[in-house]
Amino acid sequence: MSAPPSPAAVTGDGPLRRRVVVRGVVQGVGFRPYVYGLATELALVGHVTNTPEGVVAEVEGSGAAVARFCERLAVQAPPLAVVESVHHQEVPLTGGEAFTILASRTGGPARTLVSPDTATCADCLAELADPADRRHRHPFVNCTHCGPRFTIVTGVPYDRVHTTMAGFPMCADCAREYGDPADRRFHAQPVACPACGPRLRLIAPGASGDPVAGARALLTRGAILAVKGLGGYHLACDATNETAVALLRRRKARGDKPFAVMARGTAEVEHLVRLGPEERRLLEGGVRPVVLLRRRPDPARETGDPRPADAVAPGSPDLGVMLPYTPVHHLLLGLPGDPDGPRLLVMTSGNVSGEPIVTDDTEALERLAHLADAWLTHDRPIQVPCDDSVVRVCDGETLVIRRSRGYAPLPVALPLPVRPALAVGGDLKNAFCLGAGRRAWLSAHIGDLDDLRTQGVFEGAVGQLESITGVRPELLAADRHPGYRSTGWAARNAGARAVTRVQHHHAHVASAMAEHGLDGTRPVIGVAFDGTGHGDDGAVWGGEFLLADYDGFTRFGHLAYVPLPGGDAAVRRPYRMALSHLRAAGLDRSADLPCTAACPPGELGVLERQLERGLHCVPTSSMGRLFDAVSSLAGVCHLAGYEAQAAVELEAAALRAPAGDTTAYAFALRAPQEGGRGAVRADPAPVLAAVVRDLRAGHTSATVAARFHRGVTALVRRMCALARERHGLGTVALTGGVFANTLLSTACAAALREDGFTVLRHRLVPPGDGGLALGQLMVAARTTHTD
């Protein structure tokens, strides 16, 4: 936040008037009534208003009072406000009798920030449960301190007319609260009550009476319910009902991908998972993301404790948990005195896997007809699709896996200014990024761009974020992959604007550098581990050690290439990668190995001929695919029904390993080719050989998994030490989707710090492709960058 002039500069004996401009998240969060109260307390006259550039106030009074106003303005701001800058200047005296709040002004560039959606606050929850309150059991209770924001915004400044609440005229009681600066609902744009607000409706055979009571009864009987939320529809069912969960999984074509569960409070899950202080803060705070929590290996069984069905998260070491963040959620889980109902609910995105979340009511009845038995819906439109955010805690710090509701559209501060630009991200877990000056706005999670509907959501979200940020991109940044749909969209929509293509793993490293505030004057060692990224040599990269800054990178080292047989087929069938790695290592694929047994006999012959002839076998250095290979070779996972399933289950196996074993598999380091000018190659052949020996010696898959994780950690340590020895670099960025694995991330960070390195890990944006666009932006759009 930029500092205002010192108090001495605004203090004097005579009267003084100053114009104050406050930028940041200062609209829709109670900032104007706060300014009104502060000015009135100090006996100042003047006015305050919302404008596209922020909150603008003029205050007049004694020099000492004006000085105190300026000193306290940012320090005592409302809880949801984020004050980024305060600028003020002296203006001529105009006099006045009072301090007033003026109607918002429109016109001019948008420089203020829209608040993310926020969980229902304690005051509103008290009203929800109070039979004497006029908002008792009102499914849309909210105030200045909570409720929908980003998902209902249609324009700026943030006023009711620029939200999807514009179609709901306020009743006299709500209008009185809305217009009273002393009321908690003063200019709370979504303000509503049972008399004038949105209406909840249950669509089900024979539905009548209270929609929530009907919905709870359906859930109790094992039904699957489509529930309209803040940023889209959820599909909900009783998480303790094995039949209902299995049915939802089949209908949604979910494979084995874990579901998240919603619980009334931490007491409902603390017997199932490990809860530290940071996990509790995330669960109970205003964002309310899905928090991935480590499952207890043998949870205590107390009478009456709710236990999720086995089909909720099969094979996962974690359970995704969130607490209610809307009044409807609280009502569905039951208020004090309500009849018994489900205590844990599966809450998953309302869509078929691979498609965007459903937001439109008519579309929900059509697209979710084969998924849901009933619909709990309402008539407040959703302007911006917004999935639940997903986070976890790694070494006491938040690691964002999916940045969406509750975080978007808050900007990330940049270490260097950028030209107005749009970075379109990648094709998986897409999120794009708008940047200008020292701010970058990442979109909410868009999803995988394979689906045509998702591509439409992407285009709509670009226009919406441009409209509320005021950024008009002068250039575009995209991945170098020639087949990426995001890159194709950038080329088609660039017009006369330049499109800069940024190498995938360079963007990952730049993303980590940017969120840690590095200005790029000194390169870092970037350890970029993921599943797939287009390499400059046409291979599929993913096990990379880069020496990188924003201007470029050198490929210092990488995993040795192995064939990727059949492309996506190898991703879905990890046994293919295991057999490919065995062949590359010169090891026999004997029938006693789990990966060989998992491969259908007919396919095995075809695969061997494919590898012999190199047909559809692009070389890959992917660490993600090596995790797949070891997972199948160890007998952990042979078929992947969702991205990274084999790696997730390998991590789970490693966590079950007996204590005391410190063995680590060792990679072989091969000297650079091309007369010493090439990259160091980390050959996994010795690792594969050691895995085979251990399996034949009777070691468990858990022991193999743990030794493999330690081996990868040792590789990172050796390669970074070698890079420092040769190039004198002391900072390492751990990035890419593989580092969502906290077992690996923790071990690598600890080892590197022990060796004296500064370690950068992601905190604000995902380590995977959801954070890619931030790095693209920094590489392509810095104002100091020359093409």
Side-chain angles (χ1 to χ4, degrees):
M1 184 185 76
S2 60
S6 65
V10 294
T11 303
D13 294 333
L16 189 69
R17 188 178 185 93
R18 296 196 77 83
R19 183 177 189 269
V20 184
V21 180
V22 187
R23 295 194 179 104
V25 181
V26 290
Q27 295 184 10
V29 294
F31 205 86
R32 283 182 298 168
Y34 158 68
V35 171
Y36 172 91
L38 180 59
T40 303
E41 176 191 336
L42 296 170
L44 297 172
V45 300
H47 55 79
V48 63
T49 186
N50 278 344
T51 76
E53 64 176 335
V55 169
V56 177
E58 289 192 14
V59 290
E60 183 174 328
S62 72
V66 171
R68 285 197 294 274
F69 176 88
C70 294
E71 288 171 349
R72 294 168 57 184
L73 187 61
V75 176
Q76 299 174 350
L80 295 186
V82 180
V83 178
E84 289 201 338
S85 66
V86 180
H87 297 282
H88 45 85
Q89 63 185 45
E90 190 169 349
V91 293
L93 297 170
T94 62
E97 298 297 324
F99 191 87
T100 58
I101 297 174
L102 303 180
S104 299
R105 297 206 310 264
T106 58
R111 294 177 183 169
T112 193
L113 305 177
V114 174
S115 169
D117 299 290
T118 307
T120 310
C121 70
D123 288 336
C124 285
L125 286 178
E127 293 173 345
L128 185 71
D130 182 2
D133 193 277
R134 72 187 190 91
R135 290 188 172 86
H136 178 229
R137 304 189 72 87
H138 178 50
F140 305 96
V141 60
N142 70 87
C143 70
T144 306
H145 306 304
C146 68
R149 298 290 191 276
F150 177 52
T151 53
I152 63 170
V153 169
T154 60
V156 292
Y158 177 69
D159 284 321
R160 193 176 181 98
V161 69
H162 294 137
T163 74
T164 61
M165 288 297 294
F168 297 92
M170 285 181 279
C171 67
D173 289 333
C174 285
R176 184 169 56 254
E177 294 168 336
Y178 183 86
D180 181 359
D183 195 280
R184 181 172 110 252
R185 292 189 167 88
F186 175 77
H187 278 240
Q189 307 309 338
V191 66
C193 75
C196 64
R199 299 285 186 274
L200 202 61
R201 183 166 61 120
L202 179 63
I203 302 174
S208 62
D210 179 7
V212 173
R216 292 189 75 215
L218 286 168
L219 290 168
T220 302
R221 294 198 295 268
I224 295 169
L225 195 65
V227 181
K228 187 176 182 181
L230 289 179
Y233 277 81
H234 280 112
L235 291 169
C237 72
D238 181 352
T240 68
N241 184 323
E242 196 76 54
T243 302
V245 176
L247 179 61
L248 175 57
R249 187 172 290 285
R250 287 198 302 274
R251 287 182 179 179
K252 194 172 159 68
R254 181 83 171 184
D256 290 329
K257 188 174 182 179
F259 286 127
V261 299
M262 180 176 282
R264 280 186 291 190
T266 55
E268 308 290 329
V269 296
E270 57 191 0
H271 62 290
L272 301 170
V273 294
R274 302 187 187 280
L275 281 174
E278 184 65 11
E279 286 89 350
R280 288 182 186 274
R281 184 191 67 80
L282 288 164
L283 284 168
E284 297 172 350
V287 174
R288 299 284 173 105
V290 175
V291 184
L292 301 181
L293 302 169
R294 216 42 120 199
R295 299 168 91 157
R296 295 184 182 275
D298 186 21
R301 294 179 178 270
E302 300 292 339
T303 303
D305 281 342
R307 304 185 62 80
D310 292 340
V312 167
S316 174
D318 304 308
L319 182 65
V321 176
M322 60 179 160
L323 301 191
Y325 57 85
T326 72
V328 170
H329 296 149
H330 287 278
L331 292 168
L332 276 177
L333 285 163
L335 299 182
D338 281 354
D340 288 341
R343 294 166 61 188
L344 294 177
L345 293 176
V346 165
M347 280 283 185
T348 186
S349 300
N351 57 3
V352 174
S353 294
E355 295 183 359
I357 190 170
V358 175
T359 58
D360 179 77
D361 300 333
T362 301
E363 191 177 9
L365 293 174
E366 297 172 355
R367 284 179 55 198
L368 304 182
H370 64 296
L371 302 177
D373 301 310
W375 289 255
L376 185 64
T377 186
H378 59 77
D379 54 355
R380 182 180 66 205
I382 297 170
Q383 179 69 15
V384 184
C386 203
D387 273 292
D388 294 316
S389 292
V390 180
V391 305
R392 69 188 314 157
V393 174
C394 183
D395 298 332
E397 294 186 333
T398 301
L399 170 64
V400 177
I401 305 298
R402 184 167 77 190
R403 187 179 186 273
S404 203
R405 178 190 50 76
Y407 294 102
L410 288 178
V412 175
L414 299 178
L416 295 169
V418 296
R419 289 171 282 181
L422 167 64
V424 297
D427 271 18
L428 296 178
K429 295 182 170 67
N430 178 268
F432 62 86
C433 182
L434 283 171
R438 286 182 176 266
R439 283 180 182 163
W441 288 267
L442 273 83
S443 72
H445 168 79
I446 301 295
D448 296 348
L449 296 183
D450 287 344
D451 185 80
L452 281 174
R453 291 190 184 96
T454 309
Q455 294 170 37
V457 169
F458 170 90
E459 185 152 353
V462 169
Q464 192 269 347
L465 197 56
E466 286 183 5
S467 73
I468 67 170
T469 60
V471 175
R472 300 294 178 262
E474 297 171 2
L475 64 89
L476 284 77
D479 195 273
R480 286 184 184 172
H481 195 300
Y484 267 11
R485 290 163 178 81
S486 52
T487 301
W489 185 93
R492 292 191 303 274
N493 290 273
R497 299 173 293 183
V499 178
T500 300
R501 299 193 176 194
V502 181
Q503 199 281 324
H504 190 90
H505 302 94
H506 184 201
H508 273 312
V509 178
S511 175
M513 292 173 63
E515 72 161 271
H516 282 274
L518 272 63
D519 63 8
T521 54
R522 187 164 175 76
V524 303
I525 304 167
V527 183
F529 289 172
D530 62 5
T532 300
H534 183 72
D536 287 350
D537 58 359
V540 175
W541 290 6
E544 310 306 310
F545 297 87
L546 309 180
L547 310 180
D549 55 23
Y550 297 126
D551 290 321
F553 71 93
T554 300
R555 196 183 190 198
F556 175 76
H558 61 85
L559 278 183
Y561 286 137
V562 298
L564 182 67
D568 286 346
V571 177
R572 294 189 297 270
R573 305 172 197 173
Y575 60 78
R576 281 179 163 246
M577 281 312 306
L579 293 167
S580 179
H581 266 284
L582 287 174
R583 188 176 190 280
L587 299 170
D588 182 41
R589 53 90 179 156
S590 55
D592 64 317
L593 298 176
C595 58
T596 306
C599 184
E603 184 180 345
L604 185 60
V606 173
L607 179 62
E608 287 184 335
R609 289 192 295 275
Q610 186 178 6
L611 290 169
E612 287 170 4
R613 299 173 184 175
L615 297 174
H616 304 294
C617 287
V618 177
T620 182
S621 61
S622 167
M623 181 60 80
R625 299 290 79 81
L626 180 59
F627 267 80
D628 290 352
V630 173
S631 187
S632 178
L633 180 56
V636 174
C637 178
H638 303 299
L639 294 171
Y642 63 92
E643 185 187 8
Q645 179 178 350
V648 167
E649 295 185 2
L650 190 68
E651 181 186 9
L655 292 168
R656 297 193 299 269
D661 180 17
T662 59
T663 302
Y665 298 139
F667 291 77
L669 297 190
R670 310 298 183 193
Q673 297 171 326
E674 306 170 21
R677 294 189 300 273
V680 177
R681 289 170 295 125
D683 187 353
V687 172
L688 277 294
V691 171
V692 171
R693 285 196 302 272
D694 279 353
L695 291 172
R696 287 174 174 159
H699 287 291
T700 66
S701 59
T703 295
V704 169
R707 290 177 175 181
F708 175 69
H709 277 77
R710 288 192 289 269
V712 175
T713 301
L715 170 65
V716 170
R717 193 172 194 171
R718 288 175 66 197
M719 290 290 280
C720 290
L722 190 60
R724 178 171 59 186
E725 177 185 318
R726 295 184 182 179
H727 300 279
L729 302 178
T731 299
V732 179
L734 302 178
T735 187
V738 168
F739 284 108
N741 177 325
T742 55
L743 180 63
L744 180 68
S745 179
T746 294
C748 287
L752 291 168
R753 286 171 181 148
E754 186 176 314
D755 291 347
F757 286 101
T758 298
V759 180
L760 312 179
R761 290 187 292 179
H762 289 275
R763 300 169 303 183
L764 304 178
V765 302
D769 285 5
L772 197 67
L774 177 62
Q776 293 174 345
L777 182 82
M778 287 303 298
V779 170
R782 288 171 301 114
T783 55
T784 56
H785 180 77
T786 54
D787 294 321

